[in-house]
């Protein structure tokens, strides 16, 4: 186009950029294209991982033992079982029992952003009726690099201590 038609080279350049942005949004499903718009990109998320270490029972919640398992609340609010791992549904726990929890560490639900938090919830599996909540604790990604954390979990008459670390990945 020539300047005589009323369209300048600047107009053509702006239209070309707008067409490129629209095509990229349609092609890649991108809602915001800082690359084309010249705006700064968001910082990438720095990920950390909750490393489960051990669970100690001080008092069981029922009868002669509990059937304990641990869930984590994922980023979408879903409960995901993380311990015990390897297809085992629970670990028998009674006063003085100490169980290693490292078999649950392969679960990707234990990965979170440094600025995020997750809830670990200990449960007692019941054959009939709903499972009993034995306690919960909030773990934040900014605990990364700290020493081993020990948190008390209490509920339904049970008293437990969970040990974990938050590590950089």
């Amino acid at each position: 186009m020539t300047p005589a038609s009323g369209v300048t080279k600047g107009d053509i350049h702006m239209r070309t950029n707008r067409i490129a942005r629209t095509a990229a949004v349609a092609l890649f499903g991108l809602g915001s294209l800082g690359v084309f718009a010249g705006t700064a990109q968001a910082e990438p998320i720095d990920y950390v991982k909750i490393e489960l270490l051990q669970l100690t029972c001080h008092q069981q919640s029922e009868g002669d033992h509990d059937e304990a398992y641990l869930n984590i609340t994922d980023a979408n609010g879903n409960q995901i079982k993380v311990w015990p791992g390897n297809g085992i549904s629970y670990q028998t726990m009674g006063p003085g029992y100490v169980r290693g929890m490292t078999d649950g560490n392969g679960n990707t639900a234990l990965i979170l952003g440094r600025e995020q938090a997750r809830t670990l919830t200990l449960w007692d599996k019941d054959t009939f009726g709903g499972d009993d909540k034995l306690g919960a604790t909030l773990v934040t990604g900014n605990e990364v690099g700290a020493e081993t954390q020990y948190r008390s979990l209490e509920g339904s008459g049970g008293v437990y201590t969970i040990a974990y670390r938050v590590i950089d990945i």
Side-chain angles (χ1 to χ4, degrees):
M1 297 191 181
T2 65
S5 65
V7 178
T8 67
K9 287 183 181 180
D11 291 335
I12 293 171
H13 181 72
M14 284 176 36
R15 288 179 186 169
T16 303
N17 280 344
R18 191 175 318 126
I19 291 168
R21 283 194 303 271
T22 303
V25 167
L27 184 61
F28 300 112
L30 302 174
S32 173
L33 294 172
V35 172
F36 291 104
T39 60
Q41 295 293 312
E43 289 293 319
I45 296 175
D46 187 13
Y47 288 99
V48 296
K49 181 178 180 182
I50 301 168
E51 183 180 52
L52 302 172
L53 301 173
Q54 72 180 27
L55 181 67
T56 303
C57 177
H58 306 286
Q59 179 178 321
Q60 80 273 5
S61 69
E62 62 185 19
D64 60 345
H65 64 273
D66 289 334
E67 296 82 25
Y69 66 95
L70 187 75
N71 283 351
I72 190 167
T73 304
D74 72 6
N76 298 318
N78 302 313
Q79 289 279 317
I80 310 265
K81 183 179 157 288
V82 292
W83 178 85
N86 304 325
I88 300 169
S89 59
Y90 62 84
Q91 282 285 347
T92 301
M93 298 294 292
Y97 283 44
V98 178
R99 300 277 190 198
M101 301 181 83
T102 58
D103 61 323
N105 285 332
N107 196 309
T108 58
L110 293 167
I111 297 172
L112 65 153
R114 191 180 289 253
E115 301 299 320
Q116 296 175 332
R118 299 286 187 273
T119 300
L120 296 175
T121 306
L122 186 64
W123 295 91
D124 175 37
K125 185 165 189 61
D126 285 341
T127 306
F128 303 105
D131 294 350
D132 299 321
K133 185 176 177 181
L134 300 174
T137 189
L138 185 69
V139 179
T140 61
N142 64 11
E143 293 176 42
V144 67
E147 298 293 321
T148 299
Q149 301 294 307
Y150 297 91
R151 300 282 178 87
S152 179
L153 305 173
E154 297 183 30
S156 297
V159 180
Y160 288 82
T161 300
I162 188 170
Y164 70 88
R165 285 191 293 252
V166 178
I167 59 172
D168 203 3
I169 56 173

